[in-house]
Each structure stands twice: as C-alpha cells, then as structure tokens.
Amino acid sequence: MRKILFVLFILICSFTANAQAPAQQWDEGTVYHTTGEVFTGLVSWAPPMKGQYPDGDQIFFKNSGSPDIFPIPYFKIKAFTMGRDSFVVSTNINLKNNPILLVEVDGPVCLYAAKIFKQGFPLLIGSGGGGGNFGMGLEVGTAIGRGVKTSYYFGKTPNTTTKLDKKNFVETMSTILADKPEVVAKIKDKTLRYGDMDALLKYYYTGKLPVNNEQQ
C-alpha cells in the first residue's frame, strides 16, 4: 500500500509541476542575435523552472502571422525586447542559472532583475478505506511556495554585476535613482526599504507611493 501511495504521489507531483509552469504568451518584440542580426516579430519568454531547459534558458520567436516557432538559446542572444520590457543576457558566471535579466532601470549604473519560477510543492488531500478493503482518493488542491522569485543585481553592464542586498541597498539605490531626489529621500529615511522594491520602482516611475508606505 505504501508503494502504491508513493508512486501516485510522484505521478501527481510531476503532473502538478507541469501544470503550474507559466503559460506561454506572445508580445511584439525584437531579438538582437550575437551574430549582429536583428529579428523583429513576436517574442515569448517566462521565468523558467529550475532545470526546465537542460542547455540553459531560452526564448521563443516567430514572425507575425506565421505558425513556425523558433527556440533561441540564451548564449545566442545579446538582448531582446518583449512588449514594453527590455532584457539583456549576462555572461557573469554568478548568473549562469539566471542569465536573462530584466532591465529595471537603465542608466550609468543599471538595475537588473533575475527571475525564476518556483513550482512549489503540491498540497495533497487523501482519503481511503481500512480493514480488509482498500480505497483511496487523492486530490491536488494547490501548491505551497509557488510563484516567481526575483533577485536584483546592479552594474554598469550586465556582465559586471553585483547582487543587491540589505547592506548595499541604501548606497546603491541612492546612486541608481539619483535623478529623482524625492525618491532618494524616501530611501534614506527608510520609508522604502530593501523589501519594498516593487513599491520603490513604482514610486520612481509614477511618483505614487502605496498607501501603507505613505502612512509611515
């Protein structure tokens, strides 16, 4: 009985992991190939799950109106755009598992975001019988810990990056966002902290603070 339960658990975990992968979406974009070629059409990329691509991360490209899809590995890409977002590919050895970086702030010192999809663990609810009869029901209700994990890096180029952390947050972000003194003031008076990156970037681009930060 334990063997059967274990096998079913493995099968359900595998099915759930595949079902939880980010759905493929397409946006207008441009791909800058390492050969110097430039391709404009539809681009698709989503933060990958750990180990999803044996040869490393990749994007998908197709010409508008064409059903043919072309996977392009990260090592053949210098940069690409997808909708309003711009991405670069880093050769930094510390980013070998997350070489595709979203450009959050483009300036003398840039801010980049590395994202990876956490598939999480399935939450199973089981029911079964006892005595001389065997009965069992398994249901996958949700997943614990799933979602996108974001880490931030900064540097003058994507190949010379340093990870943003609590120790260097105030100095680094004050430098990166120096063109908006009112934003820097919120960093230095600790209205916006290391854990408030989404709110900080929103404030930088829109001038609007979330309600909870305004009240601090």
Side-chain angles (χ1 to χ4, degrees):
M1 178 176 175
R2 289 183 178 179
K3 283 187 175 181
I4 294 174
L5 285 169
F6 178 74
V7 170
L8 286 173
F9 177 80
I10 294 298
L11 290 174
I12 291 173
C13 285
S14 176
F15 173 79
T16 304
N18 290 330
Q20 290 174 352
Q24 190 173 42
Q25 296 182 346
W26 296 91
D27 286 289
E28 292 183 357
T30 301
V31 179
Y32 299 87
H33 201 278
T34 54
T35 61
E37 296 177 280
V38 178
F39 304 95
T40 300
L42 297 176
V43 178
S44 178
W45 178 81
M49 294 184 291
K50 185 178 180 180
Q52 182 176 355
Y53 301 118
D55 296 326
D57 204 355
Q58 61 183 10
I59 69 171
F60 298 92
F61 175 85
K62 65 180 180 178
N63 292 306
S64 300
S66 172
D68 298 326
I69 298 175
F70 301 94
I72 308 176
Y74 75 94
F75 53 83
K76 292 187 177 181
I77 306 166
K78 291 178 63 178
F80 67 95
T81 63
M82 191 173 71
R84 295 182 177 181
D85 293 327
S86 296
F87 299 83
V88 291
V89 176
S90 175
T91 60
N92 189 327
I93 189 65
N94 295 320
L95 289 166
K96 63 180 180 179
N97 295 322
N98 300 88
I100 293 178
L101 303 176
L102 170 65
V103 181
E104 293 281 15
V105 180
D106 187 11
V109 179
C110 298
L111 179 69
Y112 306 101
K115 298 176 181 287
I116 190 166
F117 186 80
K118 300 183 297 178
Q119 63 190 45
F121 300 94
L123 178 61
L124 305 179
I125 301 173
S127 61
N133 298 318
F134 174 71
M136 180 180 66
L138 290 177
E139 177 183 354
V140 180
T142 184
I144 300 173
R146 67 178 297 186
V148 176
K149 177 183 178 182
T150 303
S151 300
Y152 293 94
Y153 294 82
F154 62 93
K156 293 184 177 180
T157 75
N159 302 325
T160 57
T161 54
T162 301
K163 189 171 184 179
L164 185 71
D165 58 28
K166 290 182 179 180
K167 293 181 180 180
N168 59 33
F169 171 75
V170 173
E171 180 181 357
T172 300
M173 294 308 297
S174 295
T175 299
I176 293 174
L177 308 181
D179 59 318
K180 294 192 177 180
E182 68 277 13
V183 178
V184 174
K186 295 293 184 183
I187 295 172
K188 291 185 175 181
D189 69 11
K190 298 184 179 181
T191 298
L192 293 168
R193 304 168 186 261
Y194 176 74
D196 301 320
M197 286 299 293
D198 286 343
L200 173 58
L201 292 172
K202 180 178 180 180
Y203 183 49
Y204 176 72
Y205 283 113
T206 69
K208 296 180 180 178
L209 275 176
V211 174
N212 59 327
N213 293 109
E214 290 178 341
Q215 294 174 345
Q216 291 183 4

